[in-house]
Amino acid sequence: LILLALDADSLQRQLNCLNQFVSDWELSVNIQKTNVMVFNRGSKLLQCSYGFRLGDLQISPTKKYCYLGITFSLNGSFKTAIDELRKKALRAFFSIRRMVDTRALTTSTMLKLIDSLVKPVALYSCQVLAP
């Protein structure tokens, strides 16, 4: 779950609503996996990143956060996410080469392997990263 707000008060109100929902339905939030990010051009943890609470639990600020495999950074750039996806795609490609003798494959077979095993990794969430 990601909560987005334009100012600190709005985010705290959303956190209060989430806390009320969680307590009404007798659920729990893993506070170790819960962080706050205030996006800014300087990529620095701003003072306003501190002080958010979920009920009586303090939420810590972070510089990077991975959500559904995409890494978000403070400056709002997806460069880190793209670099991570590139590394994962290269790992997928080299795992094919490690498991299969690619010299024995035809070009069309190799392209089919790349299309089915590497391309999905490389293009994961490309609609968001490059709209």
Side-chain angles (χ1 to χ4, degrees), residues 36-75:
V36 170
M37 288 183 74
V38 176
F39 295 102
N40 63 81
R41 287 195 174 108
S43 296
K44 296 179 181 173
L45 283 176
L46 301 177
Q47 189 62 33
C48 63
S49 302
Y50 297 89
F52 289 102
R53 304 184 76 73
L54 183 65
D56 56 352
L57 301 173
Q58 184 78 25
I59 301 175
S60 61
T62 186
K63 291 185 176 186
K64 288 185 191 175
Y65 192 78
C66 185
Y67 182 73
L68 297 177
I70 299 299
T71 304
F72 292 87
S73 56
L74 283 176
N75 65 358

Side-chain angles (χ1 to χ4, degrees), residues 2 5 10-11 20 27 29-30 33 38 47 51-52 57-58 62 74-76 79 83 110 114 121 128:
I2 289 183
S10 299
L11 181 58
Q20 183 64 46
L27 301 171
V29 173
N30 186 346
K33 293 183 177 182
V38 176
Q47 189 62 33
F52 289 102
L57 301 173
Q58 184 78 25
T62 186
L74 283 176
N75 65 358
K79 183 181 180 328
D83 289 343
M110 188 62 188
I114 290 172
V121 174
V128 174

Side-chain angles (χ1 to χ4, degrees), residues 2 4 8-9 13 16 19 35 40 58 62 76 84 87 112 118 129:
I2 289 183
L4 297 172
D9 293 331
R13 280 195 302 275
N16 295 341
N19 188 54
N35 296 104
N40 63 81
Q58 184 78 25
T62 186
E84 289 295 320
K87 288 177 191 175
K112 284 180 185 176
V118 178
L129 299 176

